Amino acid sequence: MWISESHARHVHAACGSTGRVFAVASVVLATATVVLGLRLPIAYHFFGPVVWITGGASVLNVLYAALGLTGVRSYIQGGYLDVNAARRTRRLLAAMWATSIIFSSFACLLLLATVAAESDNPRHPDVRFTVGVWAYLCLLASPPVLAGVLFFVGRRLLITAPPSAYPGVAAAPAVPYPPPPQRHVWISATRAHEVRTACGRLGGALLTAGALLPPILVLIGGRLPPIYPALGTLSWTFAVVGLVQVFVAATVLRGGRRYVTGEHLDVDGALTTRRSLGVVWGLGLGSAAIAGVGLSLGLSLSGGPTEQGVHHPVLAGAVLSLMATPALLTGVAYFVGRRLFAPPAPARS
């Protein structure tokens, strides 16, 4: 859909700046949710880690929404807006907003219920409704606010109706205008076959590895000594998040085959695939780092991996290596996808 040059520049700048600001804010908010959650008076309780883990999941939706809004810039070329991509982005923002509301509501209710239930426990007199608890409650309620702002900003910027239906937006000129940018580029039959084959095989390998890792990790991790409760929950939770990213990377790779039709490559779809794999790799890398640090600190606070029947530190090293495997697998998927879906360089005249 054609839009005016000034409106295209405005949408490009607004999406980029808003997405970057909210992405940074979500990272800061996630750090505060985890750090302050470990200092809650109910941190000893089983539901204590569940509260800040659920709150962190709500913040993750804000990060996804911010990255989705930042990626809108690739859908604006010249004076044209990709209508289908804009609609998908608006749906993504709505889905992330709704999901953050669900996660934050659950975290807030669980925090209130746990503090109310444990406030009469004589063994933990410090558990009561303090200023810190109310402040953390407000922190848990902030992700839906941020996701809602992103949704309404994206809804206002990504106009998908004809420009004449909106006041202040220029309609398409009556004089001939340059055609929209080319979406499909030609690639050789050999390259097309390579992309389809590599995506299918690597995606299948990632699915197989993702299915084998959980039982191996549980089998070996079950032999570790008891870990400090909050850090143990943190470590295993982010280990699961990292494993999920392996399946996501496999799904993205296998789904990328639909962007190769005959001997043509969908440029927008290829760019989306590369960016998606980059985000998945970043999440897998971050999850592996947090899981590894949590496990190391948890073992050190529990007396070290040489106690309670664990005679070799090799066991702890094996678990740490398994927790780092998702980061390695998603990294391989990213670099392979980056090579496969790179648009061919234009021929020089």
Side-chain angles (χ1 to χ4, degrees):
M1 182 185 71
W2 183 86
I3 57 178
S4 64
E5 291 286 349
S6 59
H7 185 62
R9 289 193 296 269
H10 170 67
V11 174
H12 190 281
C15 289
S17 59
T18 305
R20 286 192 296 268
V21 169
F22 276 78
V24 174
S26 63
V27 173
V28 175
L29 186 61
T31 305
T33 302
V34 174
V35 173
L36 297 179
L38 292 172
R39 300 177 62 86
L40 282 175
I42 60 169
Y44 69 92
H45 199 275
F46 171 78
F47 288 132
V50 177
V51 168
W52 57 260
I53 289 173
T54 309
S58 180
V59 179
L60 188 62
N61 290 279
V62 180
L63 178 60
Y64 275 126
L67 294 176
L69 189 62
T70 305
V72 169
R73 296 177 298 174
S74 62
Y75 304 139
I76 302 174
Q77 299 183 21
Y80 288 89
L81 171 66
D82 189 334
V83 177
N84 294 328
R87 288 173 179 167
R88 288 197 302 267
T89 302
R90 292 175 63 181
R91 290 171 186 159
L92 171 68
L93 295 177
M96 293 300 100
W97 185 25
T99 308
S100 66
I101 291 175
I102 295 173
F103 277 117
S104 289
S105 300
F106 179 76
C108 292
L109 292 176
L110 190 60
L111 175 62
L112 292 173
T114 306
V115 174
E118 294 293 317
S119 59
D120 296 331
N121 190 341
R123 291 182 300 177
H124 300 282
D126 56 332
V127 179
R128 60 186 185 277
F129 287 100
T130 61
V131 177
V133 171
W134 290 113
Y136 194 76
L137 193 67
C138 295
L139 187 67
L140 293 176
S142 57
V145 177
L146 298 179
V149 171
L150 285 173
F151 168 72
F152 285 107
V153 169
R155 184 181 180 184
R156 180 179 62 85
L157 292 174
L158 303 178
I159 298 175
T160 56
S164 58
Y166 292 85
V169 179
V175 297
Y177 199 79
Q182 186 178 8
R183 178 171 179 176
H184 295 84
V185 296
W186 179 86
I187 56 177
S188 64
T190 305
R191 171 78 183 281
H193 178 72
E194 178 190 3
V195 172
R196 296 193 193 97
T197 304
C199 288
R201 290 179 178 176
L202 183 57
L206 288 177
L207 289 175
T208 304
L212 293 177
L213 277 174
I216 297 176
L217 188 59
V218 171
L219 181 63
I220 299 179
R223 300 179 58 189
L224 289 174
I227 305 175
Y228 188 75
L231 292 173
T233 305
L234 171 70
S235 178
W236 290 111
T237 299
F238 278 95
V240 173
V241 173
L243 291 173
V244 171
Q245 302 311 311
V246 176
F247 289 100
V248 175
T251 304
V252 172
L253 272 176
R254 293 179 65 86
R257 294 177 294 179
R258 68 178 182 270
Y259 298 127
V260 180
T261 306
E263 295 183 2
H264 289 83
L265 175 66
D266 186 337
V267 178
D268 294 341
L271 181 61
T272 301
T273 301
R274 295 174 63 186
R275 289 180 174 175
S276 300
L277 291 174
V279 173
V280 170
W281 181 38
L283 292 175
L285 195 62
S287 300
I290 296 175
V293 172
L295 180 64
S296 301
L297 291 177
L299 288 173
S300 63
L301 292 176
S302 299
T306 58
E307 292 186 359
Q308 302 187 21
V310 181
H311 304 290
H312 302 284
V314 177
L315 186 61
V319 175
L320 290 174
S321 300
L322 289 173
M323 288 183 172
T325 303
L328 176 63
L329 295 177
T330 53
V332 171
Y334 168 69
F335 286 106
V336 171
R338 182 180 179 182
R339 182 183 63 85
L340 291 175
F341 291 98
R348 295 182 178 180
S349 57

